[in-house]
Amino acid sequence: MIQPGHINRVIVVAVVLSAILEVLDSTIVNVALPHIQAAFGATTDQATWILTSYIVSAVVVMPLTGFVARRIGRRRLILTAVTGFAAMSIMCGLSWSLETIVAFRLAQGMFGAFLIPLSQSILFDAFPREKRGQAMAVFGLGVVVAPVLGPTVGAILTEYFSWRMVFFVNLPVAAMALLLLAGELPDDKTEEVRIDWKGLALLAIGIGCLQFILDQGETKDWLSSRVIQVALIASVLGALGFIFHTLTSRHPVVDLRLFADRNFALCNMIIAGFAISLFGGIAILPTFVQNLLDYPVIESGHLFIPRGIAAGVSMVLTGSVLVTRFDPRLLTGLGMLLTAAGNFMLGSLNLNAGFWQLAWPGFVSGLGMGLVFVPMSILAFESISKTRQDEASGLFNVTRQLGSSVGISLVGTWVVRGLQTNTAVLSQNVTPYNPAARAYLAPLGLTPDSTQGAAVLGQEIARQAEMISYLTVFNNLGLLALATIPLLFFCRAPRADQRAAAPVH
C-alpha cells in the first residue's frame, strides 16, 4: 500500500522498464533491417513490412487502452502486455522466414501499444501530487533517451552478435518489469463495458489504412498506385464513419469529446508537429551519414550518444526543477526553438562534415526534447479528469506516433524528389565547356569530354544533388518546429499546483 507522501520507487522502475520495451523497440530494429533482409533474401519493399506491421498494429490498438483497462483492469492488462511483448520478441528472434517475422511483429505491436499509456496513467495516479514531477522526470528520462539510443544499441548488437539479438535484448528488461509489477502493483476494479465492435472496426480501417499509406506511399509513388488510392478512400471513409459513430453512440470505444478540451486539442497538434520534426530527423540521419558520408554502422550509431545524454539531462532538470518555476508554455517554446536550431545546424553542413559537426546538432535537439515532453504533458492534461487519463493518454500517444510516421514519410519523399530535381538542375550547368568542370578534373588528369571524366563528373553531381536534398530536408524540419510555436499562445497556463503533477507523454 502506498503511504501518503511516499513515492514507490519500485513502481517507478517497473513502469519505466515497461515503457522502455516499447520505445526502444521502435528504433532498435531499424539498424538491423538490412541484415534481416539479407538473411531472408527479401527485397527492400518486403523488408519494410517488418517495421510497418509493428507500427500499424500499435497505432490501431493504442486508442483502445482506456476501454480495455476499464474492462479487465490496469494490473492485468499491463502484465499481459509485457508478457505478450516478451513472447513475441522471442518468436521474432527465432523467425525462419519473412512471413513469420512480419506476423510476430504484428502481434508484438498489439501488445506494445498498451505499455506507454498504461505506464503513464499508473504513475499519474500512484503518487502524491507534490512529488509527481520527480517521478515523471525519471519516467521521461527512460522514454526520451531509449529511442534516441536505440540505433546505437542496435548497431552494436548487429555488428558484434546477430540481428536476432535486437529482439532477445528485450527479455531481461521484460523479466525485471514483470517481477516488479507483479509484486508491487495493486489490483484495481473492473467495469462491465460493452464492446463497440462497429466503432472498433471503423477505427482499425481508418487508422490502419492511414498508417499503411504513410509507410508505403513513397515506395509505391503515392497516388500513382492503385493500392494507395484504395487505401486512401478506405482511410477517409473509415475515419468519417468512426467520427460520426463515436459522436452519436452512447458507449463509444474511444471518446473523441476529449478534444473539446482546448489545451488537449492544441497540444495534440503541437506534439504531432514536434514528432514530425524530431523523429523525421532521427530517421534520416543514419542513412545520410552511412550512404553519403561513408560512415560505418557503428560510428553512425555513436552519433546519437550526445543527443541521448543531452535529452536525459534536460529531462531530469526540467521535470524536477524548471516546471515548478516557469510557465510550461515558455519551456515548450524554448524546446521547440532548440529542436529547430539542431535541424538548421544539420542543414548548414557540407560533404566534409566531421563527427562532432554531426553530433553537436543532435546535442542541441536533445536539450530541446527534454524541455518539451514534461511541460507539454502539463499543458495537455491540465483539465483532464482522473477517470479519463487512460483514454486521453492513448489518444495523445496515437497522435505522437502518427506524427513520427508522417515525419518519416515526408523526409523520404523530400529526399527522393529533391534528388531528381537537384540532379537535373546541376546537370544543366555542367558541360564540357564549363571552366569549373575542367578545373575540377585537371588535378586528376581528366577532361570533361573524356569518358572517364564524364563518369567522375556524373558521380560528383549525384553526390552534390543528394547532399542538397538532405540539407533541404533538415531545414524544412527546422521550419516546421518553428511553425508549431504560435499554437502555444492559445493554450491556457496551468495552475502553479499542477505543474509538478502532470504525466509525461
Side-chain angles (χ1 to χ4, degrees):
M1 191 74 178
I2 299 173
Q3 300 294 327
H6 170 69
I7 288 183
N8 190 328
R9 290 177 174 80
V10 176
I11 290 185
V12 173
V13 173
V15 296
V16 167
L17 290 174
S18 301
I20 284 176
L21 278 175
E22 200 281 331
V23 295
L24 180 63
D25 212 74
S26 65
T27 57
I28 194 174
V29 179
N30 296 40
V31 179
L33 198 61
H35 296 264
I36 301 174
Q37 178 182 339
F40 295 137
T43 64
T44 301
D45 290 353
Q46 292 171 334
T48 57
W49 280 102
I50 297 171
L51 304 177
T52 302
S53 58
Y54 179 92
I55 296 172
V56 169
S57 61
V59 169
V60 170
V61 172
M62 197 176 291
L64 307 178
T65 303
F67 168 78
V68 181
R70 292 197 306 271
R71 188 173 178 86
I72 69 174
R74 282 180 180 173
R75 173 186 166 87
R76 185 179 300 174
L77 179 56
I78 196 169
L79 290 176
T80 301
V82 173
T83 303
F85 191 92
M88 291 304 103
S89 296
I90 294 174
M91 297 310 298
C92 285
L94 297 176
S95 296
W96 54 90
S97 68
L98 181 67
E99 292 77 14
T100 55
I101 194 172
V102 168
F104 293 137
R105 284 283 285 173
L106 190 72
Q108 188 185 37
M110 294 175 65
F111 287 111
F114 297 114
L115 294 177
I116 291 183
L118 282 177
S119 297
Q120 293 166 340
S121 56
I122 288 171
L123 278 180
F124 182 66
D125 288 342
F127 299 103
R129 181 175 295 273
E130 68 275 9
K131 293 187 177 181
R132 285 174 185 165
Q134 300 172 24
M136 294 305 165
V138 177
F139 175 73
L141 178 64
V143 171
V144 171
V145 175
V148 174
L149 296 183
T152 304
V153 177
I156 294 173
L157 293 175
T158 303
E159 183 74 14
Y160 295 111
F161 298 97
S162 165
W163 64 265
R164 299 180 186 274
M165 286 300 298
V166 302
F167 297 107
F168 293 146
V169 75
N170 293 329
L171 301 183
V173 180
M176 181 62 70
L178 275 176
L179 287 174
L180 298 179
L181 287 169
E184 292 292 328
L185 190 62
D187 288 320
D188 50 331
K189 296 179 180 180
T190 60
E191 300 178 23
E192 286 295 329
V193 184
R194 292 174 53 190
I195 300 177
D196 180 13
W197 292 110
K198 183 178 180 180
L200 183 59
L202 291 170
L203 176 68
I205 293 171
I207 294 184
C209 289
L210 173 60
Q211 185 65 54
F212 172 81
I213 293 169
L214 294 173
D215 288 332
Q216 298 294 312
E218 176 56 37
T219 301
K220 299 184 181 299
D221 198 20
W222 297 105
L223 292 178
S224 299
S225 166
R226 183 62 58 85
V227 173
I228 297 298
Q229 293 173 5
V230 172
L232 178 60
I233 294 172
S235 178
V236 171
L237 292 177
L240 291 176
F242 175 73
I243 292 172
F244 177 78
H245 173 76
T246 299
L247 295 179
T248 57
S249 174
R250 294 181 60 187
H251 303 286
V253 67
V254 176
D255 189 2
L256 294 181
R257 295 178 183 87
L258 284 165
F259 290 106
D261 182 275
R262 185 176 75 188
N263 271 23
F264 186 74
L266 287 170
C267 287
N268 270 272
M269 297 170 62
I270 295 170
I271 200 66
F274 177 69
I276 293 172
S277 179
L278 176 66
F279 292 106
I282 289 176
I284 205 174
L285 188 60
T287 306
F288 170 57
V289 299
Q290 290 178 38
N291 293 353
L292 193 57
L293 305 184
D294 297 324
Y295 272 58
V297 174
I298 291 295
E299 195 163 352
S300 68
H302 291 166
L303 284 172
F304 288 90
I305 294 177
R307 184 190 294 259
I309 293 173
V313 172
S314 179
M315 176 64 70
V316 172
L317 183 63
T318 302
S320 58
V321 178
L322 298 181
V323 292
T324 61
R325 301 183 180 183
F326 298 98
D327 188 328
R329 296 172 297 181
L330 177 64
L331 295 175
T332 303
L334 178 59
M336 293 292 189
L337 286 174
L338 290 173
T339 301
N343 279 310
F344 289 141
M345 290 168 68
L346 288 172
S348 65
L349 299 177
N350 57 48
L351 287 167
N352 298 316
F355 179 88
W356 284 108
Q357 288 175 291
L358 292 159
W360 276 117
F363 183 87
V364 173
S365 292
L367 292 176
M369 290 172 65
L371 281 167
V372 168
F373 278 92
V374 173
M376 179 63 63
S377 298
I378 293 173
L379 291 172
F381 286 78
E382 185 242 348
S383 301
I384 302 298
S385 65
K386 178 179 178 180
T387 57
R388 308 179 84 184
Q389 282 293 325
D390 290 337
E391 197 164 14
S393 181
L395 287 173
F396 196 77
N397 278 281
V398 167
T399 303
R400 177 184 56 81
Q401 179 64 65
L402 287 175
S404 65
S405 296
V406 170
I408 294 170
S409 181
L410 274 179
V411 297
T413 300
W414 284 341
V415 168
V416 172
R417 302 291 169 86
L419 179 59
Q420 296 170 352
T421 302
N422 295 329
T423 300
V425 172
L426 292 177
S427 297
Q428 291 175 358
N429 297 304
V430 179
T431 68
Y433 308 103
N434 190 314
R438 289 185 175 277
Y440 176 77
L441 294 174
L444 304 175
L446 302 172
T447 59
D449 51 0
S450 67
T451 303
Q452 190 174 358
V456 171
L457 282 178
Q459 292 174 357
E460 185 60 23
I461 287 173
R463 290 178 71 236
Q464 294 291 344
E466 188 173 1
M467 184 67 179
I468 294 171
S469 298
Y470 278 111
L471 298 185
T472 301
V473 169
F474 287 126
N475 284 317
N476 286 345
L477 294 176
L479 291 173
L480 181 60
L482 293 180
T484 61
I485 294 178
L487 294 175
L488 291 168
F489 294 110
F490 298 95
C491 292
R492 295 185 304 270
R495 299 191 308 270
D497 62 343
Q498 290 179 312
R499 293 181 183 178
V504 176
H505 296 266

